[in-house]
Amino acid sequence: MKKIVGITCMILGLGLLQVNGQSGANTLFKGNSSLESWGVVLSPEINSVQIFDQGVAMGEIALGVVLNNKWYIGGYYGESFNSIDAPQEMRPGVSELEFQSYGMRIEYTVAADNLLHVSFPLNIGVFEAEEVVSTSIAYNEVSYFAVTPGAQLELNISKYIRAFAGARYQVLVNEIESDPIIRDVDPGLSLHVGLRVGLFERSIN
């Protein structure tokens, strides 16, 4: 979590430095008009996914910068609202499981000024499954490097608020941390709804 916050702060800091530096000498962005606008957006959402044939609701929040009202770059963190029963092959070693995810998000939006438009997020990060022992302690844990492409439909509610709904498919590329008991976790397809709140388009000029 600390790493994700740090990465996000660095991205935001670099973006603000670039914007503040536009009033001086010509730069790569100034003059070529490569960067015409910028913004900062907070995105809370709820994901619904099936893991071991059981429903899991995951809350997720992302924070990042928007460039030219098209590209979004930031960090995300999510965790499950509910735990699920471990499958029979994990018992009696593990009885319940909960989940976390965190990493970097890159997203491209098409025709963001239209009332309804589409965007294509890509999450690159870590997905974790861990044993639930009590409300505050987890022991057995497995983590994966995960790549999660998706597509979503967005609605412009106001200048500063957008609502969205869509689907993603999470691919677990390889294990980062293995566990002798927790195995074969495969989230796969998930559905999500959420809001995007912030400054989407502030002109550089």
Side-chain angles (χ1 to χ4, degrees):
M1 179 59 177
K2 292 181 180 178
K3 291 182 179 179
I4 303 308
V5 173
I7 292 171
T8 303
C9 290
M10 181 181 69
I11 292 170
L12 292 174
L14 290 174
L16 292 175
L17 284 174
Q18 176 62 52
V19 171
N20 289 335
Q22 294 298 321
S23 58
N26 287 335
T27 66
L28 175 64
F29 294 109
K30 188 176 179 180
N32 292 335
S33 299
S34 296
L35 183 60
E36 299 175 352
S37 67
W38 66 279
V40 180
V41 175
L42 180 70
S43 302
E45 65 180 65
I46 297 177
N47 299 319
S48 176
V49 61
Q50 290 281 322
I51 303 178
F52 296 124
D53 296 322
Q54 300 176 67
V56 177
M58 295 193 66
E60 189 171 287
I61 189 162
L63 176 65
V65 295
V66 179
L67 306 177
N68 291 341
N69 205 19
K70 294 180 179 180
W71 289 99
Y72 171 95
I73 304 172
Y76 69 92
Y77 175 80
E79 60 181 42
S80 55
F81 289 130
N82 63 299
S83 60
I84 64 170
D85 294 332
Q88 193 62 40
E89 56 267 25
M90 295 183 187
R91 296 172 179 268
V94 173
S95 59
E96 290 183 283
L97 294 170
E98 60 185 5
F99 308 92
Q100 293 182 343
S101 62
Y102 50 88
M104 181 179 72
R105 176 175 297 171
I106 303 171
E107 185 172 324
Y108 182 75
T109 301
V110 180
D113 290 332
N114 292 348
L115 178 64
L116 283 173
H117 53 272
V118 294
S119 63
F120 302 94
L122 174 66
N123 289 353
I124 303 172
V126 176
F127 181 81
E128 296 180 347
E130 59 187 21
E131 174 190 9
V132 178
V133 177
S134 69
T135 56
S136 60
I137 302 175
Y139 291 99
N140 295 87
E141 178 181 281
V142 62
S143 60
Y144 301 87
F145 174 66
V147 177
T148 312
Q152 58 195 32
L153 182 66
E154 295 190 0
L155 170 67
N156 290 338
I157 296 177
S158 74
K159 185 177 180 180
Y160 304 105
I161 303 175
R162 298 174 183 172
F164 61 86
R168 300 190 187 109
Y169 194 90
Q170 188 166 74
V171 179
L172 303 181
V173 179
N174 66 283
E175 285 189 359
I176 299 173
E177 180 181 356
S178 60
D179 185 88
I181 299 177
I182 303 176
R183 309 290 296 178
D184 300 323
V185 180
D186 185 14
L189 181 67
S190 66
L191 304 177
H192 61 273
V193 295
L195 293 174
R196 299 163 68 88
V197 181
L199 179 66
F200 293 94
E201 190 175 17
R202 179 170 180 175
S203 176
I204 294 296
N205 299 323

